[in-house]
Coordinates of all heavy atoms in Angstrom, one line a residue:
D1 N -15.5 33.9 -52.9 CA -15.0 34.8 -51.9 C -14.9 34.2 -50.5 O -14.0 34.5 -49.8 CB -15.9 36.1 -51.8 CG -15.7 37.1 -52.9 OD1 -14.6 37.0 -53.6 OD2 -16.5 37.9 -53.1
Y2 N -15.8 33.3 -50.2 CA -15.7 32.6 -49.0 C -14.5 31.7 -48.9 O -13.8 31.8 -47.8 CB -17.0 31.7 -48.8 CG -16.9 30.9 -47.5 CD1 -17.1 31.5 -46.3 CD2 -16.7 29.5 -47.6 CE1 -17.0 30.7 -45.1 CE2 -16.6 28.7 -46.4 CZ -16.8 29.3 -45.2 OH -16.7 28.6 -44.0
E3 N -14.1 31.1 -49.9 CA -12.9 30.3 -49.9 C -11.6 31.2 -49.7 O -10.7 30.8 -49.0 CB -12.8 29.5 -51.2 CG -13.7 28.3 -51.3 CD -15.1 28.8 -51.8 OE1 -15.3 29.9 -52.3 OE2 -16.1 28.0 -51.7
R4 N -11.6 32.3 -50.4 CA -10.5 33.2 -50.2 C -10.4 33.7 -48.7 O -9.3 33.8 -48.2 CB -10.6 34.4 -51.1 CG -10.4 34.2 -52.5 CD -10.5 35.4 -53.3 NE -10.4 35.1 -54.8 CZ -10.7 35.9 -55.7 NH1 -11.0 37.2 -55.4 NH2 -10.6 35.5 -57.0
M5 N -11.5 34.0 -48.2 CA -11.6 34.4 -46.8 C -11.0 33.3 -45.9 O -10.3 33.6 -44.9 CB -13.0 34.8 -46.4 CG -13.1 35.5 -45.1 SD -14.7 36.4 -44.9 CE -15.9 35.1 -45.2
C6 N -11.4 32.1 -46.1 CA -11.0 31.0 -45.3 C -9.5 30.8 -45.4 O -8.8 30.5 -44.5 CB -11.7 29.7 -45.7 SG -13.4 29.7 -45.2
V7 N -9.0 30.9 -46.7 CA -7.5 30.7 -46.9 C -6.8 31.8 -46.2 O -5.7 31.5 -45.5 CB -7.2 30.7 -48.4 CG1 -5.7 30.8 -48.7 CG2 -7.7 29.4 -49.1
L8 N -7.2 33.0 -46.3 CA -6.5 34.1 -45.6 C -6.6 34.0 -44.1 O -5.6 34.3 -43.4 CB -7.1 35.5 -46.0 CG -6.4 36.7 -45.6 CD1 -4.9 36.7 -46.1 CD2 -7.1 38.0 -46.2
F9 N -7.7 33.5 -43.6 CA -7.8 33.2 -42.1 C -6.7 32.2 -41.7 O -6.1 32.3 -40.7 CB -9.2 32.7 -41.8 CG -9.4 32.4 -40.3 CD1 -9.9 33.4 -39.5 CD2 -9.1 31.2 -39.7 CE1 -10.1 33.2 -38.1 CE2 -9.3 31.0 -38.4 CZ -9.8 32.0 -37.6
N10 N -6.6 31.1 -42.5 CA -5.6 30.1 -42.2 C -4.2 30.6 -42.3 O -3.3 30.2 -41.6 CB -5.8 28.9 -43.2 CG -7.0 28.1 -42.8 OD1 -7.5 28.1 -41.7 ND2 -7.6 27.4 -43.8
I11 N -4.0 31.6 -43.3 CA -2.6 32.2 -43.3 C -2.4 33.0 -42.1 O -1.3 32.9 -41.5 CB -2.5 33.1 -44.6 CG1 -2.5 32.2 -45.8 CG2 -1.3 34.0 -44.5 CD1 -2.6 33.0 -47.2
G12 N -3.4 33.7 -41.6 CA -3.2 34.4 -40.3 C -2.9 33.5 -39.2 O -2.0 33.8 -38.3
A13 N -3.6 32.4 -39.1 CA -3.4 31.4 -38.0 C -2.0 30.8 -38.2 O -1.3 30.6 -37.1 CB -4.5 30.3 -38.1
L14 N -1.6 30.5 -39.4 CA -0.2 29.9 -39.6 C 0.9 30.9 -39.2 O 1.8 30.5 -38.6 CB -0.1 29.5 -41.0 CG 1.3 28.9 -41.4 CD1 1.5 27.6 -40.7 CD2 1.4 28.7 -42.9
M15 N 0.7 32.2 -39.5 CA 1.7 33.2 -39.1 C 1.8 33.3 -37.6 O 2.9 33.4 -37.1 CB 1.3 34.6 -39.7 CG 1.4 34.7 -41.2 SD 3.1 34.6 -41.6 CE 3.0 34.7 -43.4
S16 N 0.7 33.2 -36.9 CA 0.8 33.2 -35.4 C 1.5 32.0 -34.9 O 2.2 32.0 -33.9 CB -0.6 33.4 -34.8 OG -1.4 32.2 -35.0
Q17 N 1.3 30.8 -35.5 CA 2.0 29.6 -35.1 C 3.5 29.7 -35.4 O 4.3 29.3 -34.6 CB 1.4 28.4 -35.8 CG 0.1 28.0 -35.3 CD -0.4 26.7 -36.0 OE1 -0.2 26.5 -37.2 NE2 -1.1 25.9 -35.2
I18 N 3.8 30.3 -36.5 CA 5.2 30.4 -36.9 C 5.9 31.4 -35.8 O 7.0 31.2 -35.4 CB 5.4 31.0 -38.3 CG1 5.0 29.9 -39.3 CG2 6.9 31.4 -38.5 CD1 4.9 30.4 -40.7
A19 N 5.1 32.5 -35.5 CA 5.6 33.4 -34.5 C 5.9 32.7 -33.1 O 6.9 33.0 -32.5 CB 4.7 34.6 -34.3
S20 N 5.0 31.9 -32.8 CA 5.1 31.2 -31.5 C 6.3 30.2 -31.4 O 6.7 29.8 -30.4 CB 3.8 30.5 -31.0 OG 3.6 29.4 -31.9
A21 N 6.7 29.8 -32.6 CA 7.8 28.8 -32.7 C 9.2 29.5 -32.7 O 10.2 28.8 -32.7 CB 7.6 27.9 -34.0
Q22 N 9.2 30.8 -32.7 CA 10.5 31.5 -32.8 C 11.2 31.4 -31.4 O 10.5 31.4 -30.4 CB 10.3 33.0 -33.1 CG 9.6 33.2 -34.5 CD 10.5 32.6 -35.6 OE1 11.6 32.9 -35.8 NE2 9.8 31.8 -36.4
N23 N 12.5 31.5 -31.5 CA 13.3 31.5 -30.2 C 13.3 32.9 -29.7 O 14.1 33.7 -30.2 CB 14.7 31.0 -30.5 CG 15.6 31.0 -29.3 OD1 15.1 31.3 -28.2 ND2 16.8 30.6 -29.5
T24 N 12.5 33.2 -28.7 CA 12.4 34.6 -28.2 C 13.6 34.9 -27.3 O 13.6 36.0 -26.7 CB 11.1 34.8 -27.5 OG1 10.9 33.8 -26.4 CG2 9.9 34.7 -28.4
G25 N 14.5 34.0 -27.1 CA 15.7 34.3 -26.3 C 16.8 35.0 -27.1 O 17.8 35.5 -26.6
T26 N 16.5 35.2 -28.4 CA 17.5 35.9 -29.3 C 16.9 37.1 -29.9 O 15.6 37.2 -30.0 CB 18.0 35.0 -30.4 OG1 16.9 34.7 -31.3 CG2 18.6 33.7 -29.9
D27 N 17.7 38.1 -30.3 CA 17.2 39.3 -31.0 C 16.4 38.9 -32.3 O 15.4 39.5 -32.5 CB 18.4 40.2 -31.3 CG 18.8 41.0 -30.1 OD1 18.2 41.0 -29.1 OD2 19.9 41.7 -30.2
D28 N 17.0 38.1 -33.1 CA 16.4 37.7 -34.4 C 15.1 37.0 -34.1 O 14.1 37.2 -34.8 CB 17.3 36.9 -35.2 CG 18.4 37.6 -35.8 OD1 18.3 38.9 -36.0 OD2 19.5 37.0 -36.2
G29 N 15.0 36.2 -33.1 CA 13.8 35.5 -32.8 C 12.7 36.4 -32.4 O 11.5 36.3 -32.8
L30 N 13.0 37.4 -31.6 CA 12.0 38.4 -31.2 C 11.6 39.3 -32.4 O 10.4 39.6 -32.5 CB 12.5 39.3 -30.1 CG 12.6 38.6 -28.7 CD1 13.4 39.5 -27.7 CD2 11.2 38.4 -28.2
K31 N 12.5 39.7 -33.2 CA 12.2 40.4 -34.4 C 11.2 39.7 -35.3 O 10.2 40.2 -35.8 CB 13.4 40.8 -35.2 CG 14.2 41.9 -34.6 CD 15.5 42.2 -35.4 CE 16.5 43.0 -34.7 NZ 17.7 43.2 -35.6
N32 N 11.6 38.4 -35.5 CA 10.8 37.6 -36.4 C 9.4 37.3 -35.8 O 8.4 37.3 -36.5 CB 11.5 36.2 -36.7 CG 12.6 36.4 -37.6 OD1 12.7 37.3 -38.4 ND2 13.6 35.5 -37.5
A33 N 9.3 37.1 -34.5 CA 8.0 36.8 -33.9 C 7.1 38.1 -34.0 O 6.0 38.0 -34.4 CB 8.2 36.5 -32.4
A34 N 7.7 39.3 -33.8 CA 6.9 40.5 -33.9 C 6.4 40.7 -35.4 O 5.3 41.0 -35.6 CB 7.7 41.7 -33.5
K35 N 7.3 40.4 -36.3 CA 7.0 40.5 -37.7 C 5.8 39.6 -38.1 O 4.8 40.0 -38.7 CB 8.2 40.2 -38.6 CG 7.9 40.3 -40.1 CD 9.2 40.0 -40.9 CE 9.5 38.5 -40.8 NZ 10.5 38.0 -41.7
Y36 N 5.9 38.3 -37.7 CA 4.9 37.3 -38.1 C 3.6 37.7 -37.4 O 2.5 37.5 -37.9 CB 5.3 35.9 -37.7 CG 6.4 35.4 -38.6 CD1 7.6 34.9 -38.1 CD2 6.3 35.4 -40.0 CE1 8.6 34.4 -38.9 CE2 7.3 34.9 -40.8 CZ 8.4 34.4 -40.3 OH 9.4 33.9 -41.1
L37 N 3.6 38.1 -36.1 CA 2.4 38.5 -35.4 C 1.7 39.7 -36.1 O 0.5 39.8 -36.2 CB 2.7 38.8 -34.0 CG 3.0 37.5 -33.1 CD1 3.7 37.9 -31.8 CD2 1.8 36.7 -32.9
Q38 N 2.5 40.7 -36.6 CA 2.0 41.8 -37.3 C 1.3 41.4 -38.6 O 0.3 41.9 -39.0 CB 3.0 42.9 -37.5 CG 3.5 43.6 -36.2 CD 4.7 44.4 -36.4 OE1 5.4 44.3 -37.4 NE2 5.0 45.3 -35.5
Q39 N 1.9 40.4 -39.3 CA 1.4 39.9 -40.5 C 0.1 39.2 -40.2 O -0.9 39.3 -41.0 CB 2.4 39.0 -41.2 CG 3.5 39.8 -41.8 CD 4.6 38.8 -42.4 OE1 4.6 37.6 -42.2 NE2 5.6 39.4 -43.1
A40 N 0.0 38.4 -39.1 CA -1.2 37.7 -38.8 C -2.3 38.8 -38.5 O -3.5 38.6 -38.9 CB -1.0 36.8 -37.6
A41 N -2.0 39.8 -37.7 CA -3.0 40.8 -37.4 C -3.5 41.5 -38.7 O -4.7 41.8 -38.8 CB -2.3 41.9 -36.5
G42 N -2.6 41.7 -39.6 CA -3.0 42.3 -40.9 C -3.9 41.4 -41.7 O -4.9 41.9 -42.3
A43 N -3.7 40.1 -41.7 CA -4.6 39.2 -42.3 C -6.0 39.2 -41.7 O -7.0 39.3 -42.4 CB -4.0 37.8 -42.3
F44 N -6.1 39.2 -40.4 CA -7.4 39.2 -39.7 C -8.1 40.5 -39.9 O -9.3 40.6 -40.2 CB -7.2 38.9 -38.3 CG -6.7 37.5 -38.0 CD1 -5.7 37.3 -37.1 CD2 -7.3 36.4 -38.6 CE1 -5.2 36.0 -36.9 CE2 -6.9 35.1 -38.3 CZ -5.8 34.9 -37.5
T45 N -7.3 41.6 -39.9 CA -7.9 42.9 -40.1 C -8.4 43.1 -41.6 O -9.5 43.6 -41.8 CB -6.9 44.0 -39.8 OG1 -6.5 44.0 -38.5 CG2 -7.5 45.4 -40.1
H46 N -7.7 42.6 -42.5 CA -8.1 42.6 -43.9 C -9.4 41.9 -44.1 O -10.3 42.3 -44.8 CB -7.0 42.1 -44.9 CG -7.4 42.1 -46.3 ND1 -7.5 43.3 -47.0 CD2 -7.8 41.1 -47.1 CE1 -7.9 43.0 -48.3 NE2 -8.1 41.7 -48.3
I47 N -9.5 40.7 -43.5 CA -10.8 39.9 -43.6 C -11.9 40.7 -43.0 O -13.0 40.8 -43.6 CB -10.6 38.6 -42.9 CG1 -9.6 37.7 -43.6 CG2 -12.0 37.8 -42.9 CD1 -9.2 36.4 -42.8
K48 N -11.7 41.3 -41.8 CA -12.7 42.0 -41.1 C -13.2 43.2 -41.9 O -14.4 43.5 -42.0 CB -12.2 42.4 -39.8 CG -13.2 43.2 -39.0 CD -12.7 43.7 -37.7 CE -13.7 44.6 -37.0 NZ -13.1 45.4 -35.9
E49 N -12.3 44.0 -42.5 CA -12.6 45.2 -43.1 C -13.0 45.1 -44.6 O -13.8 45.9 -45.1 CB -11.5 46.2 -43.0 CG -11.2 46.6 -41.5 CD -10.1 47.6 -41.3 OE1 -9.3 47.8 -42.3 OE2 -9.8 48.0 -40.2
S50 N -12.4 44.1 -45.3 CA -12.6 44.1 -46.7 C -13.5 42.9 -47.2 O -14.1 43.0 -48.3 CB -11.3 44.0 -47.4 OG -10.5 45.2 -47.1
M51 N -13.5 41.8 -46.5 CA -14.1 40.6 -47.0 C -15.4 40.2 -46.3 O -16.4 39.9 -46.9 CB -13.1 39.4 -47.0 CG -11.9 39.7 -47.8 SD -10.6 38.4 -47.6 CE -11.1 37.4 -49.0
A52 N -15.3 40.2 -44.9 CA -16.5 39.7 -44.1 C -17.7 40.6 -44.3 O -18.8 40.0 -44.3 CB -16.1 39.7 -42.7
P53 N -17.6 41.9 -44.5 CA -18.9 42.7 -44.6 C -19.7 42.3 -45.8 O -20.9 42.5 -45.9 CB -18.4 44.1 -44.7 CG -17.1 44.1 -44.0 CD -16.5 42.8 -44.3
A54 N -19.1 41.6 -46.8 CA -19.9 41.2 -48.0 C -20.9 40.1 -47.7 O -21.9 40.0 -48.4 CB -18.9 40.7 -49.1
F55 N -20.7 39.4 -46.6 CA -21.6 38.4 -46.2 C -22.6 38.9 -45.3 O -22.3 39.6 -44.3 CB -20.9 37.2 -45.6 CG -20.0 36.5 -46.5 CD1 -18.6 36.8 -46.6 CD2 -20.4 35.4 -47.3 CE1 -17.8 36.1 -47.5 CE2 -19.6 34.8 -48.2 CZ -18.3 35.1 -48.3
Q56 N -23.9 38.7 -45.6 CA -25.0 39.3 -44.8 C -25.1 38.6 -43.4 O -25.5 39.2 -42.5 CB -26.3 39.2 -45.6 CG -26.3 40.0 -46.8 CD -26.2 41.5 -46.6 OE1 -26.7 42.0 -45.6 NE2 -25.5 42.2 -47.5
Q57 N -24.8 37.3 -43.4 CA -24.9 36.6 -42.1 C -23.5 36.0 -41.8 O -22.7 35.8 -42.7 CB -25.9 35.5 -42.2 CG -25.6 34.4 -43.3 CD -26.8 33.5 -43.4 OE1 -27.9 33.8 -43.0 NE2 -26.5 32.3 -44.0
V58 N -23.3 35.7 -40.5 CA -22.1 35.1 -40.1 C -22.1 33.7 -40.5 O -23.0 32.9 -40.2 CB -21.9 35.2 -38.6 CG1 -20.7 34.5 -38.1 CG2 -21.9 36.7 -38.1
V59 N -21.0 33.3 -41.3 CA -21.0 31.9 -41.8 C -20.5 31.0 -40.7 O -21.1 29.9 -40.5 CB -20.0 31.9 -43.0 CG1 -19.9 30.5 -43.6 CG2 -20.4 32.9 -44.1
T60 N -19.5 31.3 -40.0 CA -19.0 30.5 -38.9 C -18.6 31.5 -37.8 O -18.2 32.6 -38.1 CB -17.8 29.6 -39.2 OG1 -16.7 30.4 -39.7 CG2 -18.2 28.6 -40.3
P61 N -18.6 31.1 -36.5 CA -18.2 32.0 -35.4 C -16.8 32.6 -35.5 O -16.6 33.7 -35.1 CB -18.4 31.1 -34.2 CG -19.3 30.0 -34.6 CD -19.0 29.8 -36.0
D62 N -15.9 31.8 -36.1 CA -14.5 32.3 -36.2 C -14.4 33.4 -37.2 O -13.4 34.1 -37.2 CB -13.5 31.2 -36.4 CG -13.8 30.4 -37.6 OD1 -15.0 30.4 -38.1 OD2 -12.9 29.7 -38.1
L63 N -15.4 33.6 -38.1 CA -15.3 34.6 -39.1 C -16.2 35.8 -38.8 O -16.5 36.6 -39.7 CB -15.6 34.0 -40.5 CG -14.6 33.0 -41.1 CD1 -15.1 32.4 -42.4 CD2 -13.2 33.7 -41.2
S64 N -16.7 35.8 -37.6 CA -17.6 37.0 -37.2 C -16.7 38.2 -37.1 O -15.5 38.1 -36.8 CB -18.3 36.7 -35.9 OG -17.4 36.6 -34.8
L65 N -17.3 39.3 -37.2 CA -16.6 40.6 -37.1 C -15.9 40.8 -35.7 O -14.8 41.2 -35.6 CB -17.5 41.8 -37.4 CG -18.0 41.9 -38.9 CD1 -19.0 43.1 -39.0 CD2 -16.9 41.9 -39.9
E66 N -16.7 40.3 -34.7 CA -16.1 40.5 -33.3 C -14.9 39.6 -33.1 O -13.9 40.0 -32.6 CB -17.2 40.1 -32.3 CG -18.4 41.0 -32.3 CD -19.4 40.7 -33.4 OE1 -19.3 39.7 -34.0 OE2 -20.3 41.6 -33.6
M67 N -15.0 38.3 -33.6 CA -13.9 37.4 -33.5 C -12.7 37.9 -34.3 O -11.5 37.8 -33.8 CB -14.3 36.0 -33.9 CG -13.1 35.0 -33.8 SD -12.5 34.8 -32.1 CE -13.8 33.8 -31.4
L68 N -12.9 38.4 -35.5 CA -11.8 38.8 -36.3 C -11.1 40.0 -35.7 O -9.9 40.2 -35.6 CB -12.3 39.2 -37.7 CG -12.7 38.0 -38.5 CD1 -13.4 38.4 -39.8 CD2 -11.5 37.1 -38.9
G69 N -11.9 40.9 -35.1 CA -11.3 42.1 -34.4 C -10.5 41.7 -33.2 O -9.5 42.2 -32.9
T70 N -11.1 40.7 -32.4 CA -10.4 40.2 -31.3 C -9.0 39.5 -31.6 O -8.0 39.8 -31.0 CB -11.2 39.2 -30.5 OG1 -12.4 39.9 -30.1 CG2 -10.5 38.6 -29.3
L71 N -9.1 38.7 -32.7 CA -7.8 38.0 -33.1 C -6.8 39.0 -33.5 O -5.6 38.9 -33.2 CB -8.1 37.0 -34.2 CG -8.9 35.8 -33.9 CD1 -9.4 35.0 -35.1 CD2 -8.1 34.9 -33.0
S72 N -7.2 40.0 -34.3 CA -6.3 41.1 -34.7 C -5.7 41.8 -33.5 O -4.5 42.0 -33.5 CB -7.0 42.0 -35.6 OG -6.1 43.0 -36.1
A73 N -6.5 42.1 -32.5 CA -6.0 42.9 -31.4 C -5.1 42.0 -30.6 O -4.0 42.5 -30.1 CB -7.2 43.3 -30.5
V74 N -5.3 40.7 -30.4 CA -4.4 39.8 -29.7 C -3.1 39.7 -30.4 O -2.0 39.7 -29.8 CB -5.1 38.4 -29.5 CG1 -4.1 37.4 -29.0 CG2 -6.2 38.5 -28.5
M75 N -3.1 39.6 -31.7 CA -1.8 39.5 -32.5 C -1.0 40.8 -32.3 O 0.2 40.7 -32.1 CB -2.1 39.3 -34.0 CG -2.8 38.0 -34.3 SD -1.9 36.5 -33.7 CE -3.2 35.7 -32.8
V76 N -1.7 41.9 -32.4 CA -1.0 43.2 -32.2 C -0.4 43.3 -30.8 O 0.8 43.7 -30.6 CB -1.9 44.4 -32.5 CG1 -1.3 45.7 -32.0 CG2 -2.2 44.5 -33.9
A77 N -1.2 42.9 -29.8 CA -0.7 42.9 -28.4 C 0.5 42.0 -28.2 O 1.5 42.4 -27.5 CB -1.8 42.5 -27.4
Q78 N 0.5 40.8 -28.8 CA 1.6 39.9 -28.7 C 2.9 40.5 -29.4 O 4.0 40.3 -28.9 CB 1.3 38.5 -29.2 CG 0.3 37.8 -28.3 CD -0.1 36.5 -28.9 OE1 -0.2 36.2 -30.1 NE2 -0.5 35.5 -28.0
A79 N 2.6 41.1 -30.5 CA 3.8 41.8 -31.2 C 4.4 42.9 -30.4 O 5.6 43.0 -30.3 CB 3.3 42.3 -32.6
Q80 N 3.5 43.6 -29.7 CA 4.0 44.7 -28.8 C 4.8 44.1 -27.7 O 5.8 44.7 -27.3 CB 2.9 45.5 -28.3 CG 2.3 46.4 -29.4 CD 1.0 47.2 -28.9 OE1 0.3 46.7 -28.0 NE2 0.8 48.3 -29.4
E81 N 4.4 43.0 -27.2 CA 5.1 42.3 -26.1 C 6.5 41.9 -26.6 O 7.5 42.0 -25.8 CB 4.3 41.1 -25.6 CG 5.0 40.4 -24.4 CD 4.3 39.1 -24.0 OE1 3.4 38.6 -24.7 OE2 4.7 38.6 -22.9
A82 N 6.5 41.3 -27.8 CA 7.8 40.9 -28.3 C 8.8 42.1 -28.5 O 10.0 42.0 -28.2 CB 7.7 40.2 -29.7
I83 N 8.2 43.2 -28.9 CA 9.1 44.5 -29.0 C 9.5 44.9 -27.7 O 10.7 45.3 -27.5 CB 8.3 45.5 -29.8 CG1 8.1 45.1 -31.2 CG2 9.0 46.9 -29.7 CD1 7.1 45.9 -32.0
L84 N 8.6 44.9 -26.7 CA 9.0 45.2 -25.3 C 10.1 44.3 -24.8 O 11.1 44.8 -24.2 CB 7.8 45.2 -24.4 CG 8.0 45.4 -22.9 CD1 8.4 46.9 -22.7 CD2 6.8 45.1 -22.1
L85 N 10.0 43.0 -25.0 CA 11.0 42.1 -24.5 C 12.3 42.4 -25.2 O 13.4 42.3 -24.5 CB 10.6 40.6 -24.8 CG 9.4 40.1 -23.9 CD1 9.0 38.7 -24.4 CD2 9.8 40.1 -22.5
K86 N 12.3 42.7 -26.5 CA 13.6 43.0 -27.1 C 14.2 44.3 -26.6 O 15.4 44.4 -26.4 CB 13.3 43.2 -28.6 CG 14.7 43.5 -29.4 CD 14.5 43.5 -30.8 CE 15.8 43.8 -31.6 NZ 16.9 44.3 -30.9
S87 N 13.4 45.3 -26.2 CA 13.9 46.5 -25.6 C 14.5 46.2 -24.3 O 15.6 46.8 -23.9 CB 12.8 47.5 -25.4 OG 12.2 47.8 -26.7
V88 N 13.9 45.3 -23.5 CA 14.5 44.9 -22.2 C 15.8 44.2 -22.4 O 16.8 44.5 -21.7 CB 13.5 44.1 -21.4 CG1 14.1 43.5 -20.1 CG2 12.3 45.0 -21.0
Q89 N 15.8 43.3 -23.3 CA 17.0 42.5 -23.6 C 18.2 43.4 -24.1 O 19.3 43.2 -23.8 CB 16.8 41.5 -24.7 CG 16.2 40.2 -24.2 CD 16.1 39.2 -25.3 OE1 16.4 39.4 -26.4 NE2 15.7 38.0 -24.9
D90 N 17.8 44.5 -24.8 CA 18.8 45.4 -25.3 C 19.2 46.4 -24.3 O 20.0 47.3 -24.5 CB 18.3 46.2 -26.6 CG 18.1 45.3 -27.8 OD1 18.7 44.2 -27.8 OD2 17.5 45.7 -28.7
K91 N 18.6 46.3 -23.1 CA 18.9 47.2 -21.9 C 18.7 48.7 -22.3 O 19.6 49.5 -22.0 CB 20.4 46.9 -21.4 CG 20.6 45.5 -20.9 CD 21.9 45.3 -20.3 CE 22.1 44.1 -19.6 NZ 22.2 42.9 -19.9
M92 N 17.6 48.9 -22.9 CA 17.3 50.3 -23.2 C 16.9 51.0 -21.8 O 16.6 50.4 -20.9 CB 16.1 50.4 -24.1 CG 16.4 50.0 -25.5 SD 15.0 50.3 -26.6 CE 15.8 50.2 -28.2
K93 N 16.9 52.3 -21.9 CA 16.6 53.1 -20.7 C 15.2 52.9 -20.2 O 14.3 52.6 -21.1 CB 16.8 54.6 -20.9 CG 18.3 55.0 -21.2 CD 18.4 56.4 -21.4 CE 19.9 56.8 -21.7 NZ 20.0 58.2 -21.9
D94 N 15.0 52.9 -18.9 CA 13.6 52.7 -18.4 C 12.6 53.6 -18.9 O 11.4 53.3 -19.1 CB 13.7 52.8 -16.8 CG 14.4 51.6 -16.2 OD1 14.6 50.6 -16.9 OD2 14.8 51.8 -15.0
A95 N 13.0 54.9 -19.2 CA 12.0 55.9 -19.7 C 11.5 55.5 -21.1 O 10.4 55.6 -21.4 CB 12.7 57.2 -19.8
I96 N 12.4 54.9 -21.9 CA 12.1 54.4 -23.3 C 11.2 53.2 -23.2 O 10.1 53.1 -23.9 CB 13.3 54.2 -24.1 CG1 14.0 55.5 -24.4 CG2 12.9 53.5 -25.4 CD1 15.4 55.3 -25.1
I97 N 11.5 52.3 -22.3 CA 10.7 51.1 -22.1 C 9.3 51.4 -21.6 O 8.3 50.9 -22.1 CB 11.4 50.1 -21.2 CG1 12.7 49.6 -21.9 CG2 10.5 49.0 -20.8 CD1 13.6 48.7 -21.0
A98 N 9.2 52.4 -20.7 CA 7.9 52.8 -20.2 C 7.0 53.4 -21.3 O 5.8 53.2 -21.3 CB 8.1 53.9 -19.1
K99 N 7.6 54.0 -22.3 CA 6.8 54.6 -23.4 C 6.3 53.5 -24.4 O 5.3 53.7 -25.1 CB 7.6 55.6 -24.2 CG 7.9 56.8 -23.4 CD 8.7 57.8 -24.2 CE 9.0 59.0 -23.4 NZ 9.8 60.0 -24.1
L100 N 7.0 52.4 -24.4 CA 6.5 51.3 -25.2 C 5.3 50.7 -24.6 O 4.4 50.2 -25.2 CB 7.6 50.2 -25.3 CG 8.8 50.6 -26.1 CD1 9.9 49.5 -26.0 CD2 8.5 50.9 -27.6

């Protein structure tokens, strides 16, 4: 189980790297960045909720419940930022952008 948890952690990290490599100057780049960041958040959340509690002690600091929660929250925040940037690029109304 520890190996699976590590592989999934690395998948989450890779998804965030792929997201950061997207061209955020285009609509497709922002969409892809948001998608990859959401997938990364999902990987970290899955580890936190389904895999990490099985271990009685923290194996490494990056797999602690607090760190996994923080990583997931950061990925979600970055995905929200990408969606906000896309809304601004699409020239949506200010009222809609404010709700995002």
